[in-house]
Amino acid sequence: MTMRRRGLAVAGVLGVLLALGTAVPGRPGPELGRAPRQVPPEPAAPAATVAGEPDCTRLRCVALTFDDGPSDRTPQLLDVLAAERVRATFFVVGQEVAARPAVVRRELAEGHVVGDHTWDHAQLTLLDPERMAREIDQGADAVQRATGVRPTLLRPPYGAFSAAVRGRGLPLVLWDVDSFDWRDDDAAATARRGIEQARPGSVILMHDIVPSTPRAVRPLIEGLRARGFTLVTVAQLFGHPLAAGQDYPRAPAGPPATPHPGAVTWRYRPAAGPDPDQDQVVAAPEPGRCHPTGRPGFALRDETDRDVEMYRDGDCTVKAARLHPGDELYGEVGGFRVLAG
Ligand code: NI
């Protein structure tokens, strides 16, 4: 689909969703559509989940999620994840699973979580209840047929869901960070958007059918780690079984960053407010790991979603507090000012 057609399709989708009163997450990135294909339904089987070890109540966790595969590019992506020792979550399309069952078996074997993204990527809110149910069930059937494991998580295509979709009894895993990898198919841009927008508890949306996405993943992982994030599966991110019918765009934020070994601890003094003298720990620099903006300094995103920019030549930091324009930051090597809000 061309960008223009995709844009028009998205506009149409949003219009329909608004008309139907269905929920759309913050910025639902349009996804790549497919022509419907019919397959006979298969009976359901017991659920299975993948448990995780990282404690995301104590760590700053984010989850990488890859939709619409498996594709011929997925093995390359899996190679990167294996080399980086990162586990991710794949929301797979049933007809693609049927075409490449071994790839999905590999995803599970390497510790990734596999969730249902329907049989052929239909927009569930446009279907009658019977067809909607079949889309979800056949997607899960395909995974079960390929792997023996039935997915317990659903990501509705386009992030579009309704009360009827909720009623199918699966948790709905959405996202709060859209990499827009499909939009310009540019690995550097994809990585940059993921790094800049991630917050503790974020779910990052990507697509393992986009040609540049496997190349975006290593710089993305490095950038997120430089910001003090631990990369986990969706199951690990939430740390508890998700409720049927509930939608989850992101997990509650974990604690502020704990300083890396040898890090300078920065403190934060609000420039205004009720308690301007109360210091708060804000940052845990990790020397040599940064996300330069091309200007002296670096861009960060605070917990309130606003971009801030800190100036301190030649160094980088990971912030972990609410910052406001005009706030002053200071530490062992002098102060700097929050310049943008
Ligand atoms: Ni999709």
Side-chain angles (χ1 to χ4, degrees):
M1 193 187 287
T2 66
M3 300 314 286
R4 182 180 187 83
R5 284 190 57 204
R6 194 177 297 154
L8 292 171
V10 169
V13 164
L14 291 175
V16 170
L17 290 178
L18 290 171
L20 294 174
T22 50
V24 182
R27 284 181 302 171
E31 297 174 317
L32 308 181
R34 284 179 179 71
R37 220 190 274 169
Q38 297 295 323
V39 293
E42 287 193 356
T49 56
V50 177
E53 308 79 35
D55 180 359
C56 291
T57 63
R58 297 176 55 235
L59 298 167
R60 288 159 56 86
C61 293
V62 294
L64 303 185
T65 66
F66 299 95
D67 287 12
D68 299 2
S71 78
D72 291 340
R73 299 181 172 89
T74 307
Q76 182 191 350
L77 170 62
L78 289 169
D79 290 345
V80 175
L81 294 173
E84 294 290 337
R85 306 176 68 83
V86 166
R87 292 201 275 171
T89 303
F90 291 84
F91 289 98
V92 295
V93 171
Q95 65 184 14
E96 305 303 330
V97 174
R100 299 173 189 82
V103 178
V104 184
R105 284 195 289 274
R106 180 180 168 193
E107 289 171 354
L108 278 180
E110 296 184 357
H112 306 295
V113 168
V114 174
D116 186 355
H117 200 43
T118 75
W119 170 251
D120 61 8
H121 208 269
Q123 187 182 325
L124 298 173
T125 50
L126 300 182
L127 305 179
D128 63 55
E130 185 184 340
R131 172 91 197 286
M132 180 271 290
R134 207 161 61 222
E135 275 286 343
I136 296 170
D137 292 347
Q138 290 179 0
D141 291 343
V143 174
Q144 187 175 353
R145 209 156 38 224
T147 67
V149 178
R150 192 167 188 82
T152 59
L153 305 173
L154 173 67
R155 172 168 282 169
Y158 313 99
F161 60 93
S162 60
V165 175
R166 288 186 193 276
R168 293 306 301 166
L170 289 170
L172 310 179
V173 177
L174 306 175
W175 61 88
D176 68 317
V177 174
D178 194 334
S179 71
F180 287 110
D181 53 354
W182 55 269
R183 194 170 62 190
D184 38 22
D185 194 13
D186 176 336
T190 298
R192 186 179 64 246
R193 284 189 284 265
I195 294 163
E196 290 180 349
Q197 296 174 36
R199 297 178 290 165
S202 279
V203 178
I204 300 177
L205 171 66
M206 286 171 285
H207 301 84
D208 51 322
I209 58 171
V210 173
S212 64
T213 293
R215 283 182 281 112
V217 170
R218 180 169 279 118
L220 173 62
I221 291 169
E222 290 175 351
L224 290 170
R225 284 176 167 160
R227 289 191 57 201
F229 286 112
T230 299
L231 290 100
V232 298
T233 66
V234 163
Q236 294 166 331
L237 183 72
F238 290 94
H240 57 80
L242 301 183
Q246 291 294 307
D247 57 285
Y248 297 90
R250 68 182 288 243
T258 50
H260 301 282
V264 176
T265 296
W266 291 90
R267 292 186 182 281
Y268 160 61
R269 173 171 291 175
D275 195 6
D277 290 329
Q278 183 171 347
D279 289 350
Q280 301 174 39
V281 174
V282 294
E286 189 179 23
R289 307 292 296 274
C290 66
H291 178 59
T293 61
R295 301 166 60 187
F298 40 91
L300 297 168
R301 177 169 286 265
D302 72 8
E303 306 306 317
T304 57
D305 255 353
R306 291 169 309 113
D307 285 312
V308 297
E309 200 163 293
M310 297 180 188
Y311 273 56
R312 184 182 156 218
D313 290 347
D315 205 347
C316 301
T317 197
V318 179
K319 72 119 216 63
R322 293 176 180 226
L323 303 175
H324 305 280
D327 292 349
E328 291 184 357
L329 302 169
Y330 60 95
E332 291 178 2
V333 268
F336 47 86
R337 178 176 282 271
V338 179
L339 295 175

